[in-house]
Amino acid sequence: MSHNTAMTRPRFRRIIERLSTIELRPWILLGLGWLIASAVLAGVAGEAARRDAVGELERQATAGAALHAAVLRSELDKQRAIPIVLAGDPDVAALLTRPGARAAAGVDRKLERLATQTRAAVIYVLDAEGLTLASSNWRTPTSFVGSRYEFRPYFINAMRDAQGEFYALGTRSGRPGLYLSRRVDAADGTPLGVVVLKVEFDALEAEWRGSGEPAWVADPGGVVLVSSIPDWRFRATEPMDERRRRLSLTDLTLSPGALTPLPFQTPDGDRPRLVRTAVGDGRPQTWMHSETGTATPGWTLHLLTPERGAVGTAVAGARGLALLITSLLALGVAVLLRRRHLARAKARAEEEGRLELERRIHERTRELHDANLALNRQIEERRRAEAARELLRDELVQASKLAALGQIVASVAHEINQPVAAIWTHADTAVLLLERGQTDMARDALRRIGDLTRRIGAITQDLRLFARKAAPTIDEIQLEDAIQGALQLTRGRLEERNVALERIGDGEVKVHADQFRLEQVIVNLVKNAAEALEGQDDARLTLTVERRGERVRLIFADNGPGVAPEVASQLFTPFVTTRTNGLGLGLVICRDIVASFGGELDLVPAKRGATFVAVLKAA
């Protein structure tokens, strides 16, 4: 082995030297191609990912703006219905027709309850001259009762057009809000007064603020009226000029810092656009701006949806994926290049190795010839050993038979003694009957003598066949014949030890086996069970035959003490026995005999006693 290693080392050294001289041009071209392809694919993939991410962000922003507009529309629709209902209220009409303290007090309480239930800032009733007769804030220091508002546009428009809407600062509270007004007419159509409801958007702004997406509403002049960012209220989406001031619907008296542009340029057009600005005290970040119309004419809702690095993440991911793809492709090409170079080097090395191999083959052929001669000798010795082993096994089987015969001779003698005694008695009886001339009864006695003689012949025949040494022949045999032959030899031992034999199942099935060897297995297992049950009062041996498809199970189950676990694990090992005078070969030989039939013999777990199962092939 060391000689071969020493010879192959110079060859590998030459291969490494050749690999080190491989020209670098293909590898340089591969590196340049990888850099160019990576740059191009990363640029294309990044731009495509950016467009997709921006498009998804636009869809989110458009949906968010529509949702905010729906919330605003729902709030305004609810508030618009209140002036309409109050314009037809009999108590309000009665107060405007016949003003009085009692009527005003009733309407004040009604307006107060209604304002609380609907979250309206204030609800009040003006007569035809603009004087406040009743108000929901009649209990507060800033009560509108007694104040005149004939100059306010919402009163003027309502008296002229039956309804009005106007956004303005409150003259007493100084708080901005949307005033919704509705004219109250008498039965003949004469104007009696106006019902006014002021909507303040503090709750709506707080709700928008909680969403984390800055939202605001601007009038036609671009003035921010409602905003989730308090600092943006009354600022303009673009620098104010005279045209924008005329378009504004507000009636505001604002501080000098009002109407300044927002901290970012509001994109033109209906399509969402990306903007960058700081919200509140936070650092500048990127937002997706979207806008949509509202239920109030001229009002536009704007929404900033946070970008949160989605575009950058998508672009970086796409570029990383592009770089990974080009790297994998480059790696694949590099592997192919390396394989080609290795294949060339390997071919050169194989040519050199072939010559070396031919020389070594010549040397090894001589060695193999010598080894082949030695192997043939070993095979011949193995064949002789195998033949000796077969001969020894047959001798062991025969010895086991003779040993079993020695143990069952007493029981066989007992079986024979009974018929012999009976023959003797029947013979004396026949003589007496003949002397008396009772030939019929004498004939019956002689017939019984013949039957007993045949019984003795059957016992001795089974004993002779069992003891005979013959070459095993596996054939189709009747299982019941083997069982009866074995029981004929062991019945005396069972009776001697008071062991009850129970048969379960039909033994009239054919199996592949040698009848005399199978009888030896049955005799051995029955004899072992009888010895294990010796001295037990309720000794019982159950012999069961089961047919399961192509297999026949012959089960020997006793109710004796069973086999200890430490012995059961090696029960079929030679020279392992639980009897003091045993050799420990009986079960080993039995298993070997059953295995020669193509079957199995094993000890299976049982609740009580020992259970051996012999599995045979069905014919």
Side-chain angles (χ1 to χ4, degrees), residues 535-575:
Q536 186 166 314
D537 294 337
D538 59 341
R540 184 177 68 258
L541 173 63
T542 302
L543 181 59
T544 305
V545 178
E546 290 182 355
R547 175 71 180 268
R548 293 187 179 180
E550 298 300 322
R551 295 285 177 173
V552 176
R553 288 162 52 92
L554 187 57
I555 305 172
F556 301 82
D558 63 62
N559 61 344
V563 182
E566 60 273 12
V567 178
S569 60
Q570 50 184 350
L571 189 60
F572 293 94
T573 303
F575 308 111

Coordinates of all heavy atoms in Angstrom, one line a residue, residues 535-575:
G535 N -45.1 -32.8 38.6 CA -45.5 -32.5 39.9 C -46.6 -31.4 40.0 O -46.9 -31.0 41.1
Q536 N -47.1 -30.9 38.9 CA -48.1 -29.8 39.0 C -49.5 -30.5 38.9 O -49.8 -31.4 38.1 CB -47.9 -28.9 37.8 CG -48.8 -27.7 37.8 CD -48.3 -26.7 36.8 OE1 -47.2 -26.4 36.7 NE2 -49.3 -26.1 36.0
D537 N -50.4 -30.0 39.8 CA -51.8 -30.6 39.9 C -52.6 -30.4 38.6 O -53.2 -31.4 38.2 CB -52.5 -30.0 41.1 CG -51.8 -30.3 42.4 OD1 -51.1 -31.4 42.4 OD2 -52.0 -29.6 43.4
D538 N -52.7 -29.3 38.1 CA -53.5 -29.0 36.9 C -52.7 -29.0 35.7 O -52.9 -28.1 34.8 CB -54.3 -27.7 37.1 CG -53.3 -26.5 37.3 OD1 -52.1 -26.7 37.6 OD2 -53.8 -25.3 37.1
A539 N -51.8 -29.9 35.5 CA -50.9 -29.9 34.3 C -51.7 -30.1 33.1 O -52.5 -31.0 33.0 CB -49.8 -31.0 34.5
R540 N -51.4 -29.2 32.1 CA -52.2 -29.3 30.8 C -51.3 -28.9 29.7 O -50.5 -27.9 29.8 CB -53.4 -28.4 30.9 CG -54.3 -28.5 29.6 CD -55.5 -27.7 29.7 NE -55.2 -26.3 29.7 CZ -55.2 -25.5 30.8 NH1 -55.5 -26.0 32.0 NH2 -54.9 -24.2 30.7
L541 N -51.3 -29.6 28.6 CA -50.6 -29.3 27.4 C -51.6 -29.1 26.3 O -52.4 -30.0 26.0 CB -49.6 -30.4 27.0 CG -48.8 -30.2 25.7 CD1 -48.0 -29.0 25.6 CD2 -48.0 -31.5 25.4
T542 N -51.5 -28.0 25.6 CA -52.5 -27.7 24.5 C -51.7 -27.7 23.2 O -50.7 -27.0 23.0 CB -53.1 -26.3 24.7 OG1 -53.8 -26.3 25.9 CG2 -54.2 -26.1 23.6
L543 N -52.2 -28.6 22.3 CA -51.6 -28.7 20.9 C -52.5 -28.2 19.9 O -53.7 -28.7 19.8 CB -51.3 -30.2 20.6 CG -50.6 -30.5 19.3 CD1 -49.3 -29.8 19.2 CD2 -50.4 -32.0 19.2
T544 N -52.2 -27.1 19.3 CA -53.1 -26.3 18.4 C -52.5 -26.3 17.0 O -51.3 -26.1 16.8 CB -53.2 -24.9 18.9 OG1 -53.6 -24.9 20.2 CG2 -54.2 -24.1 18.0
V545 N -53.4 -26.5 16.0 CA -53.0 -26.4 14.6 C -53.8 -25.2 13.9 O -55.0 -25.2 14.0 CB -53.3 -27.7 13.8 CG1 -53.0 -27.6 12.3 CG2 -52.6 -28.9 14.4
E546 N -53.0 -24.3 13.3 CA -53.6 -23.1 12.7 C -53.2 -23.0 11.2 O -52.0 -23.2 11.0 CB -53.3 -21.8 13.4 CG -53.9 -21.7 14.8 CD -53.5 -20.3 15.4 OE1 -52.7 -19.6 14.8 OE2 -54.0 -20.0 16.5
R547 N -54.1 -22.7 10.4 CA -53.7 -22.5 9.0 C -53.8 -21.0 8.7 O -54.9 -20.4 8.8 CB -54.7 -23.3 8.1 CG -54.5 -23.0 6.6 CD -53.2 -23.6 6.1 NE -53.0 -23.4 4.6 CZ -53.4 -24.2 3.7 NH1 -54.0 -25.4 4.0 NH2 -53.1 -24.0 2.4
R548 N -52.7 -20.4 8.3 CA -52.7 -18.9 7.9 C -52.1 -18.8 6.5 O -50.9 -18.7 6.4 CB -51.9 -18.1 8.9 CG -52.5 -18.1 10.3 CD -51.8 -17.1 11.2 NE -52.4 -17.0 12.5 CZ -51.9 -16.2 13.5 NH1 -50.8 -15.5 13.3 NH2 -52.5 -16.2 14.7
G549 N -53.0 -18.8 5.5 CA -52.5 -18.6 4.2 C -51.6 -19.8 3.7 O -52.1 -20.9 3.7
E550 N -50.4 -19.5 3.4 CA -49.5 -20.5 2.9 C -48.6 -21.1 4.1 O -47.7 -21.8 3.8 CB -48.5 -19.9 1.9 CG -49.2 -19.4 0.6 CD -50.0 -20.5 -0.1 OE1 -49.5 -21.6 -0.1 OE2 -51.1 -20.2 -0.6
R551 N -49.0 -20.8 5.3 CA -48.3 -21.2 6.5 C -49.2 -22.0 7.4 O -50.4 -21.7 7.5 CB -47.6 -20.1 7.2 CG -46.6 -19.3 6.4 CD -45.3 -20.1 6.4 NE -44.3 -19.4 5.6 CZ -43.0 -19.9 5.4 NH1 -42.7 -21.0 6.1 NH2 -42.2 -19.2 4.7
V552 N -48.6 -23.1 8.1 CA -49.3 -23.8 9.1 C -48.6 -23.7 10.4 O -47.4 -24.0 10.4 CB -49.4 -25.3 8.7 CG1 -50.1 -26.1 9.8 CG2 -50.2 -25.4 7.4
R553 N -49.3 -23.3 11.4 CA -48.6 -23.0 12.7 C -49.0 -24.2 13.6 O -50.2 -24.5 13.9 CB -49.1 -21.7 13.3 CG -48.5 -20.5 12.6 CD -49.3 -19.2 12.9 NE -49.5 -19.0 14.4 CZ -48.7 -18.3 15.1 NH1 -47.6 -17.8 14.6 NH2 -49.0 -18.2 16.4
L554 N -48.0 -24.9 14.2 CA -48.2 -26.0 15.2 C -47.7 -25.4 16.5 O -46.5 -25.1 16.7 CB -47.3 -27.2 14.8 CG -47.5 -28.5 15.6 CD1 -49.0 -28.9 15.6 CD2 -46.6 -29.6 15.0
I555 N -48.7 -25.2 17.5 CA -48.4 -24.5 18.7 C -48.5 -25.5 19.9 O -49.4 -26.3 20.0 CB -49.5 -23.4 18.9 CG1 -49.5 -22.5 17.7 CG2 -49.2 -22.6 20.2 CD1 -50.6 -21.5 17.7
F556 N -47.4 -25.5 20.7 CA -47.3 -26.3 21.9 C -47.3 -25.3 23.1 O -46.4 -24.6 23.3 CB -46.0 -27.1 22.0 CG -45.9 -28.0 20.8 CD1 -45.4 -27.6 19.6 CD2 -46.2 -29.4 20.9 CE1 -45.2 -28.4 18.5 CE2 -46.1 -30.2 19.8 CZ -45.6 -29.8 18.6
A557 N -48.4 -25.3 23.9 CA -48.6 -24.4 25.0 C -48.9 -25.2 26.3 O -49.8 -25.9 26.3 CB -49.7 -23.4 24.7
D558 N -48.0 -25.0 27.3 CA -48.3 -25.6 28.6 C -48.5 -24.6 29.6 O -48.3 -23.4 29.4 CB -47.1 -26.5 29.0 CG -45.8 -25.7 29.2 OD1 -45.8 -24.8 30.1 OD2 -44.8 -25.9 28.4
N559 N -49.0 -25.0 30.8 CA -49.3 -24.1 31.9 C -48.3 -24.2 33.0 O -48.7 -24.1 34.2 CB -50.8 -24.2 32.4 CG -51.0 -25.6 32.9 OD1 -50.2 -26.6 32.6 ND2 -52.1 -25.8 33.6
G560 N -47.1 -24.6 32.7 CA -46.1 -24.8 33.7 C -45.4 -23.5 34.1 O -46.0 -22.4 33.9
P561 N -44.3 -23.6 34.7 CA -43.6 -22.4 35.3 C -43.0 -21.5 34.2 O -42.6 -20.3 34.5 CB -42.5 -22.9 36.1 CG -42.2 -24.3 35.5 CD -43.5 -24.8 35.0
G562 N -42.9 -21.9 32.9 CA -42.4 -21.1 31.9 C -40.9 -21.1 31.9 O -40.2 -21.8 32.5
V563 N -40.3 -20.2 31.0 CA -38.9 -20.1 30.8 C -38.4 -18.7 31.4 O -39.0 -17.7 31.1 CB -38.5 -20.2 29.3 CG1 -37.0 -20.1 29.2 CG2 -39.0 -21.5 28.8
A564 N -37.4 -18.7 32.2 CA -36.9 -17.5 32.7 C -36.4 -16.5 31.6 O -35.9 -17.0 30.6 CB -35.7 -17.8 33.7
P565 N -36.6 -15.2 31.8 CA -36.2 -14.3 30.7 C -34.7 -14.4 30.4 O -34.3 -14.3 29.2 CB -36.5 -12.9 31.3 CG -37.6 -13.2 32.4 CD -37.3 -14.5 32.9
E566 N -33.8 -14.6 31.4 CA -32.4 -14.7 31.1 C -32.1 -15.9 30.3 O -31.1 -15.9 29.5 CB -31.6 -14.6 32.4 CG -31.8 -15.7 33.4 CD -33.0 -15.4 34.3 OE1 -33.7 -14.4 34.0 OE2 -33.2 -16.1 35.3
V567 N -32.9 -17.0 30.4 CA -32.7 -18.2 29.6 C -33.3 -18.1 28.3 O -32.8 -18.6 27.3 CB -33.2 -19.4 30.4 CG1 -33.0 -20.7 29.6 CG2 -32.4 -19.5 31.7
A568 N -34.5 -17.4 28.2 CA -35.3 -17.4 27.0 C -34.5 -16.7 25.9 O -34.6 -17.0 24.7 CB -36.6 -16.6 27.2
S569 N -33.7 -15.7 26.2 CA -32.9 -14.9 25.2 C -31.9 -15.8 24.5 O -31.5 -15.4 23.4 CB -32.3 -13.7 25.8 OG -31.4 -14.1 26.8
Q570 N -31.4 -16.8 25.1 CA -30.4 -17.7 24.5 C -30.8 -19.2 24.5 O -30.0 -20.1 24.6 CB -29.1 -17.5 25.2 CG -29.1 -17.6 26.7 CD -27.8 -17.3 27.4 OE1 -26.8 -17.2 26.7 NE2 -27.8 -17.2 28.7
L571 N -32.1 -19.4 24.5 CA -32.7 -20.8 24.6 C -32.2 -21.7 23.5 O -32.0 -22.9 23.7 CB -34.2 -20.7 24.7 CG -34.9 -22.0 25.1 CD1 -34.4 -22.5 26.4 CD2 -36.4 -21.8 25.0
F572 N -32.1 -21.1 22.3 CA -31.7 -21.9 21.1 C -30.2 -21.9 20.8 O -29.7 -22.1 19.7 CB -32.4 -21.4 19.9 CG -33.9 -21.7 20.0 CD1 -34.8 -20.7 20.4 CD2 -34.5 -22.9 19.6 CE1 -36.2 -20.9 20.5 CE2 -35.8 -23.1 19.7 CZ -36.7 -22.2 20.1
T573 N -29.4 -21.5 21.9 CA -28.0 -21.5 21.8 C -27.5 -22.9 22.2 O -28.0 -23.4 23.2 CB -27.3 -20.4 22.6 OG1 -27.9 -19.1 22.2 CG2 -25.8 -20.4 22.5
P574 N -26.5 -23.5 21.5 CA -26.0 -24.8 21.9 C -25.5 -24.8 23.4 O -24.9 -23.9 23.8 CB -24.9 -25.1 20.9 CG -25.3 -24.3 19.7 CD -25.9 -23.1 20.3
F575 N -25.8 -25.9 24.1 CA -25.4 -26.2 25.4 C -26.0 -25.3 26.5 O -25.5 -25.1 27.6 CB -23.8 -26.1 25.5 CG -23.2 -27.0 24.5 CD1 -22.4 -26.4 23.4 CD2 -23.3 -28.4 24.5 CE1 -21.8 -27.2 22.5 CE2 -22.6 -29.2 23.5 CZ -21.9 -28.5 22.5

